[in-house]
Amino acid sequence: MVRLSTLFPRTAALASMVLMGASGAALSSSFGAGIENSQWYVSESVFECSMVHEVPGYGRAVFRHKAGEQLSFYLESDTALMRPGKGSLVVEAPVWRPGAAPRKVGAVNVGEGRRPVALSSRQAMLIAQGLLDGMTPTVTRESWYDRSPVRVRVSNINFAGQYESYRACTTNLLPVNYDQIKRSRIPFRAGSTSLAEGDRELLDNIVTYVQADSTVERIFVDGHTDSSGSRIDNRALSEQRANAVADYLIEKGVPQDLITVRAHADQYPASRRPADNRRTTIRLQRQGERPELQQANGYEAGYSG
């Protein structure tokens, strides 16, 4: 059972900690759902699957699996209750199941912000397995306000049924997410316009994503060369490289009117290494994104080449 009031959880939590600090008692503040109010909610799409659990008085516990990435887990709270530093993660028996031995998972980093605890894929899987085993994963860390421990317990009640829906969702995720392919690069050998097998796999993933995300409104395909040839030859070669990529995207089902092809020869080098400059870049633009971030000069924030 939750020790603090669920009617005004944030106020009650702060008041409880202040009172404990004033009395000097090293008591713990424990947050967790009981049998009567433990719920898990699944959100499903081809872009992301998540399971959200409300932790009364604290916030939320979230499993999240983005397309193209591994499973993650984090605690989210609007109020900073834990002091930043090293906390502990233990998978223990719930109060209604005494006798089962706890399993210590290890240390966790507690940070600042609305998501103070974000765990690795391995730790997230250990938490999920503990919940499936009927156990209660618990994160413990000192409070912001005194040295008393703050315990956040993740309830296993109603988890297993929703986890099956969540697992089914993950099998339908796209192979990549937007951040992974919004700026992509196809390298070329000297004088070549041919696509390698790995390049086709990357382009196939871009096609799959674009067909699923209706907010992608423009695809910029920019051809480049090194400086070894004449300006006229390099211009033609960069156009052929850009067209090789654009034609492949169109052949695989991307509407032609989404694609803007540009040829730049050796005008925008990515580095001093010729091999880095023999390339075609693919850049996606979603609705509402600023077009100036899609320039071909190779110097926009977070991207080179």
Side-chain angles (χ1 to χ4, degrees), residues 235-253:
R235 171 79 181 191
L237 181 57
S238 65
E239 184 174 5
Q240 291 168 9
R241 286 172 173 168
N243 283 331
V245 170
D247 290 345
Y248 188 91
L249 294 175
I250 294 168
E251 177 187 344
K252 292 295 183 175

Side-chain angles (χ1 to χ4, degrees), residues 1-3 6 31-41 53-54 56 93-98 134 136 153-159:
M1 294 293 291
V2 181
R3 298 182 58 184
T6 57
F31 301 90
I35 296 176
E36 75 287 350
N37 62 349
S38 175
Q39 295 295 331
W40 287 88
Y41 304 95
H53 172 61
E54 294 293 332
V95 294
W96 54 86
R97 187 183 165 189
T136 301
R153 298 180 292 108
V154 183
S155 173
N156 63 75
I157 302 299
N158 298 316
F159 175 81

